[in-house]
Amino acid sequence: MRRALAALLLLALPAAAPVGAEERRSGFADMTPATQAMQRDDAANPGMLWALEGEALWLAPVGRAAKACAACHGDAAASMRGVAARYPAMDDATGQAVDLAGRIALCQVRHQQADPAPRESQPALALAAYVGLQSRGLPITPAEDSRMATLRAAGEALYRERRGQLDLSCAQCHDDNAGRRLAGSVIPQGHPTGYPIYRLEWQAVGSLQRRLRGCMTGVRSEPYAYGAPEYIAIEAFLMGRAAGMAVETPAVRP
Amino acid sequence: MIRAVLLALILAAPARAEEALPRPAGIAPGDPARGRVIVADRQRGLCLLCHAGPFPEERFQGNLAPNLAGAGSRWTEGQLRLRLVDGRRLNPATIMPSYGRTEGLHHVGRVWQGRTILGPQEIEDVVAYLTTLKE
């Protein structure tokens, strides 16, 4: 009887369990040794060029306020440590969630009285890479905020929603088929541990939103515009899913 | 007991796996040679992104789905056609896209709206090719 009960309990377990903490795997683990070495070595990691440019921008006075980021925040190594690991986060002034790039842009408008660099522009990516670098090696730690929980749920719904002419959801590849090969490429679990990343395919640094747009176009769906709240929600969900994994910014990916 | 056995049988039976689609009226029988080209074309058929198959000249074939080798032994022409046109009718959770369906899709990219992945004649060509894959 007890054995039968145990068997029943086993059967009752969900068939498609979510990716567990033990089985989580950064895309880094599936890269060739040469690409892994490129990420590990700051002198070889092309993303470090963006981070270096970001450091120069951090120190440069800009805007009508003629203030540098450093004028308020000081040494980024201290003040920005761990910051990227907890974004997206709520902006209390607007009540909207923002990603790290959005937070930097808000800071430029409010405090430097500057026109923010457009999303995905070189200076925007450079500053995000520099701020992200200050969290490298630290665990992803999403904010414990009920509004963020709501956002994460919305992001999960988008992640599980089938879309496009190919009618595929993110989850169908990155949960159900991670580790298998789509043509020649191993499908990663989709943990956003290293953004902005230097992608060999792009020959440049790009944001998570650029990466999400690539997948959306791949299933022949209409991507959202850069900065759309849908991307922030998906990022919030993915960062929650990756909680505890180490930040790799600026990561290198094929 | 009999009811339990019957229920188990019903649950175990593949859902309408034997169902088939006839060739649509006005569409000519497919050409296997054209079908093979479509299957191997990663922008048109997309098949090798997920399936491997008897294509020694093609590198980087996927392993998300069954090997196409032997598809013509496993399924009849009409069953293959149904799986291509709308496999979701057999298995709503399948990752196999429906090559001949435009309804029930969401957020379709502007350039793809109202268009099926393959046209009916292309689907016939692919079906004709797959039926030649006997093991």
Side-chain angles (χ1 to χ4, degrees):
Chain A
M1 178 61 194
R2 227 189 260 160
R3 263 183 32 206
L5 230 122
L8 265 176
L9 281 172
L10 275 175
L11 287 171
L13 284 174
V19 180
E22 315 74 44
E23 316 151 30
R24 282 182 315 176
R25 186 180 174 88
S26 161
F28 180 88
D30 295 317
M31 302 199 303
T32 64
T35 314
Q36 290 183 343
M38 185 189 279
Q39 176 174 321
R40 280 204 192 97
D41 179 1
D42 281 353
N45 181 343
M48 289 304 289
L49 296 172
W50 273 256
L52 274 174
E53 182 184 333
E55 181 175 21
L57 293 169
W58 180 266
L59 299 168
V62 292
R64 288 192 302 284
K67 273 162 87 173
C69 307
C72 291
H73 295 289
D75 182 3
S79 64
M80 292 296 118
R81 185 181 152 81
V83 169
R86 51 178 187 265
Y87 269 77
M90 294 305 297
D91 174 52
D92 286 325
T94 59
Q96 302 288 312
V98 289
D99 62 355
L100 184 63
R103 161 62 60 210
I104 293 170
L106 282 176
C107 222
Q108 289 169 332
V109 170
R110 289 173 185 166
H111 305 300
Q112 296 178 308
Q113 294 167 41
D115 296 326
R119 275 189 183 265
E120 223 54 26
S121 66
Q122 171 106 359
L125 290 167
L127 260 177
Y130 179 61
V131 173
L133 173 63
Q134 312 310 320
S135 297
R136 189 166 62 174
L138 298 177
I140 290 172
T141 45
E144 307 276 340
D145 179 315
S146 63
R147 294 169 299 177
M148 288 305 297
T150 307
L151 188 72
R152 280 195 283 273
E156 177 165 11
L158 289 164
Y159 180 83
R160 302 197 180 284
E161 181 185 20
R162 290 180 151 181
R163 59 186 64 240
Q165 192 195 42
L166 303 191
D167 201 21
L168 288 166
S169 70
C170 313
Q172 283 181 294
C173 278
H174 297 284
D175 284 353
D176 302 345
N177 284 291
R180 298 212 176 96
R181 281 184 184 275
L182 180 71
S185 312
V186 175
I187 298 177
Q189 291 179 356
H191 299 298
T193 48
Y195 286 90
I197 59 167
Y198 181 86
R199 196 160 182 227
L200 299 173
E201 186 185 311
W202 296 335
Q203 294 285 298
V205 162
S207 68
L208 175 62
Q209 294 193 9
R210 181 174 178 187
R211 186 66 195 81
L212 292 174
R213 288 170 68 93
C215 267
M216 288 178 180
T217 310
V219 299
R220 300 183 173 176
S221 76
E222 192 65 32
Y224 304 105
Y226 275 113
E230 286 86 353
Y231 290 131
I232 314 288
I234 295 171
E235 180 175 357
F237 166 67
L238 292 177
M239 288 293 269
R241 187 169 160 269
M245 296 178 77
V247 174
E248 298 174 50
T249 307
V252 176
R253 290 292 182 272
Chain B
M1 180 60 192
I2 290 172
R3 257 173 49 196
V5 169
L6 271 177
L7 186 67
L9 279 174
I10 289 167
L11 288 173
R16 301 177 300 164
E18 68 294 343
E19 260 185 50
L21 269 190
R23 177 156 49 89
I27 300 294
D31 172 11
R34 280 201 311 253
R36 189 183 194 280
V37 171
I38 293 168
V39 169
D41 187 326
R42 286 153 203 261
Q43 271 79 49
R44 275 174 85 199
L46 315 165
C47 310
L48 299 187
L49 300 180
C50 294
H51 297 273
F55 296 86
E57 74 281 13
E58 289 289 334
R59 299 175 66 199
F60 305 130
Q61 303 180 19
N63 65 0
L64 305 188
N67 196 303
L68 296 177
S73 304
R74 294 194 291 272
W75 312 110
T76 66
E77 177 191 309
Q79 290 169 338
L80 285 166
R81 190 180 288 108
L82 174 58
R83 278 157 180 75
L84 265 169
V85 169
D86 193 2
R88 301 269 153 100
R89 275 155 58 179
L90 296 166
N91 172 13
T94 183
I95 57 169
M96 171 78 178
S98 298
Y99 280 74
R101 171 168 64 93
T102 55
E103 315 83 54
L105 304 176
H106 307 281
H107 312 294
V108 177
R110 268 190 287 275
V111 292
W112 309 106
Q113 273 170 23
R115 294 174 52 190
T116 53
I117 302 171
L118 291 176
Q121 191 61 63
E122 291 175 307
I123 289 176
E124 262 340 278
D125 292 341
V126 172
V127 168
Y129 168 65
L130 294 176
T131 57
T132 68
L133 300 181
K134 307 282 192 192
E135 257 175 348

